[in-house]
Amino acid sequence: MDQVVLNKVITAFTASFHEEPLVVFSPGRINFIGEHTDYNDGYVFPAAIDKGIYLAIGTSSDNRSEIRALDFNESMEFDVFRQEQATQGSWRDYFLGIIAELNKRDLPLGQIKVIFSGTIDPGSGMSSSAALENAFVFGLNELLHLGLSKNEMIYISQAAEHHYVGVKCGIMDQFASMFGLEGAALFLDCKTMKSEKHSIDMNGYTILLINSNVKHTLADSAYNQRRVACEQVASLLGKTTLREVTLTELEENNQKIPLKAYQKALYVVEENNRVLAFKEAVDRKDLKCMGELMYQSHKGLQNNYEVSCEELDFLVDFTRNKPYVLGSRMMGGGFGGCTINLVQSQQQEHFIKAISGAYYKRFQTPCTIINVRLSDGTKRIK
Ligand code: GLA
């Protein structure tokens, strides 16, 4: 818990509205492996982290609602009973999207006031968006007694992102943020939505995120295009999703599929297999194998799925042949954001210095090192 940010949000709320708020914390997530598999009904291996969104909420007696984003020093006023236009690319869309989804479900809404702040940089690939969506819908549910289950809430969050933000995301981020468990990762089968808790024993190693601090434009449209490409290959093979396709089936139908689409499907099918192998490696505490699978995942994302970028490839390549780094790969949607690395704890300081220096030298801009702890999912903290 970031006490400073929590206090900042509570203080701002009480100073502005002269009453005590209900407060929710909703975490971002990391993903060990299983990238771009969720919307293909595949497997993922994410975990909620100790960084995310702190959101203070209360009812409003006016006929308007108000939301303030402390980090951007911006605010918005709106009426929860009116359909507001999406604003295109602003934090406001996440809130308007949630309200629109709740209105569709005919739930007893009321005017509200909200103040929020976060400890994740947007665009870093740690899913500050799912954290924000979950924080808001969870806060509304508690405040207005909407009677929604956590499961219903994650689909409301996802629908808000589909319909208002315009990203046809899978369910991994909302799921991990809502259901995360301290010290553990969640293996999720996105077809059955059955999940398993797997405790992560790092045994002298540390999970280090390295933010490239780049976010390439058009990342959202590239994301949606990948999804369409996967759906097209599945339907070409007479299946509903790539989850139903085996490696052999794919290889046998090689001729039927355009090369670029084939490479994308190949990545997805192989990545699903890697998640299953990773899960077993976690359970036998085989960190070396976990790391190796992460490197393979990056290779697929870079060459076949084509969602990496020069900066991420540089960060991953820098770790190769360093005996104290077991694995590294880009994390999240891609085209910027973070890499996730398994680094020997004793060598951490040395590694951070070396990679930060090399990155700066190459791109004349700093990368940011982020330490994370695996934490519980969305919860009320006050
Ligand atoms: C984004 C999406 C997720 C998932 C990842 C890639 O974070 O929100 O649903 O598809 O990209 O694995």
Side-chain angles (χ1 to χ4, degrees):
M1 201 66 23
D2 191 322
Q3 228 34 58
V4 175
V5 178
L6 174 62
N7 290 341
K8 184 176 78 177
V9 168
I10 295 176
T11 310
F13 193 97
T14 43
S16 305
F17 305 121
H18 313 289
E19 64 184 53
E20 291 291 321
L22 183 160
V23 185
V24 172
F25 173 70
S26 183
R29 60 106 188 89
I30 58 168
N31 187 22
F32 283 98
I33 199 158
E35 222 61 271
H36 289 274
T37 45
D38 58 354
Y39 54 82
N40 288 300
D41 268 0
Y43 306 115
V44 292
F45 210 88
I49 54 174
D50 56 337
K51 297 181 172 46
I53 300 288
Y54 294 81
L55 180 138
I57 187 167
T59 52
S60 166
S61 45
D62 298 345
N63 52 8
R64 301 287 290 163
S65 287
E66 182 181 350
I67 299 184
R68 277 191 221 164
L70 286 186
D71 301 334
F72 308 115
N73 204 12
E74 290 175 355
S75 64
M76 119 171 116
E77 280 197 17
F78 64 103
D79 179 351
V80 294
F81 300 111
R82 278 194 38 199
Q83 175 87 22
E84 307 270 345
Q85 284 295 310
T87 56
Q88 298 297 313
S90 143
W91 56 269
R92 295 173 178 85
D93 290 340
Y94 297 100
F95 289 94
L96 295 175
I98 295 284
I99 293 290
E101 290 305 318
L102 293 176
N103 272 321
K104 278 185 201 164
R105 287 162 178 80
D106 231 2
L107 289 161
L109 294 183
Q111 306 293 354
I112 43 139
K113 47 210 184 208
V114 169
I115 292 188
F116 74 97
S117 176
T119 51
I120 296 179
D121 273 341
S124 59
M126 292 151 75
S127 207
S128 55
S129 31
L132 191 58
E133 294 149 8
N134 281 352
F136 187 42
V137 69
F138 192 95
L140 285 168
N141 191 49
E142 290 282 307
L143 183 76
L144 304 173
H145 309 289
L146 302 180
L148 294 165
S149 67
K150 281 187 158 192
N151 212 46
E152 287 169 311
M153 286 190 264
I154 62 172
Y155 287 107
I156 290 170
S157 291
Q158 186 196 34
E161 190 143 347
H162 282 197
H163 302 141
Y164 256 68
V165 184
V167 179
K168 302 278 179 214
C169 62
I171 197 67
M172 167 172 76
D173 301 350
Q174 291 78 10
F175 182 90
S177 164
M178 187 65 83
F179 291 103
L181 294 167
E182 168 112 37
L186 302 168
F187 166 77
L188 174 67
D189 179 338
C190 298
K191 182 178 178 189
T192 61
M193 289 307 284
K194 290 222 161 63
S195 71
E196 293 166 14
K197 171 186 175 185
H198 289 261
S199 296
I200 301 286
D201 181 355
M202 291 300 291
N203 200 11
Y205 282 79
T206 302
I207 304 160
L208 268 193
L209 304 186
I210 307 180
N211 190 355
S212 64
N213 290 320
V214 295
K215 177 162 170 54
H216 289 281
T217 45
L218 301 181
D220 289 354
S221 55
Y223 182 95
N224 292 343
Q225 285 160 10
R226 296 297 180 285
R227 185 171 181 148
V228 171
C230 291
E231 285 164 1
Q232 282 171 345
V233 177
S235 102
L236 210 64
L237 299 178
K239 312 275 183 171
T240 13
T241 63
L242 287 180
R243 165 66 178 278
E244 318 299 335
V245 179
T246 64
L247 202 52
T248 324
E249 269 171 321
L250 190 65
E251 280 163 359
E252 279 170 2
N253 289 285
N254 186 341
Q255 298 305 322
K256 283 194 204 158
I257 310 166
L259 180 64
K260 285 280 174 197
Y262 178 81
Q263 287 172 336
K264 296 201 170 50
L266 179 66
Y267 160 77
V268 172
V269 173
E270 287 180 343
E271 181 79 346
N272 274 329
N273 292 337
R274 278 190 287 268
V275 182
L276 296 175
F278 191 91
K279 176 171 80 133
E280 283 171 17
V282 167
D283 291 346
R284 38 167 222 277
K285 303 191 197 317
D286 187 346
L287 281 155
K288 200 159 171 275
C289 176
M290 288 159 60
E292 183 47 42
L293 289 162
M294 287 167 67
Y295 277 124
Q296 286 173 20
S297 169
H298 185 79
K299 207 167 153 206
L301 288 158
Q302 177 184 1
N303 301 323
N304 284 342
Y305 213 64
E306 297 184 293
V307 288
S308 187
C309 62
E310 204 189 340
E311 293 87 348
L312 292 169
D313 294 341
F314 179 88
L315 288 172
V316 171
D317 285 341
F318 185 85
T319 68
R320 289 185 201 280
N321 305 317
K322 305 238 174 339
Y324 51 85
V325 182
L326 292 182
S328 175
R329 64 175 203 86
M330 56 148 276
M331 191 181 80
F335 306 103
C338 287
T339 62
I340 173 168
N341 304 269
L342 301 186
V343 183
Q344 201 174 30
S345 307
Q346 283 183 341
Q347 297 291 329
Q348 213 189 131
E349 288 313 310
H350 165 72
F351 171 70
I352 290 174
K353 238 185 170 164
I355 198 162
S356 303
Y359 189 82
Y360 191 83
K361 193 164 165 219
R362 172 70 184 80
F363 298 106
Q364 275 79 57
T365 184
C367 59
T368 312
I369 309 293
I370 305 165
N371 271 293
V372 289
R373 279 195 24 234
L374 310 190
S375 305
D376 284 334
T378 307
K379 60 183 175 201
R380 180 172 175 173
I381 49 178
K382 192 174 156 341

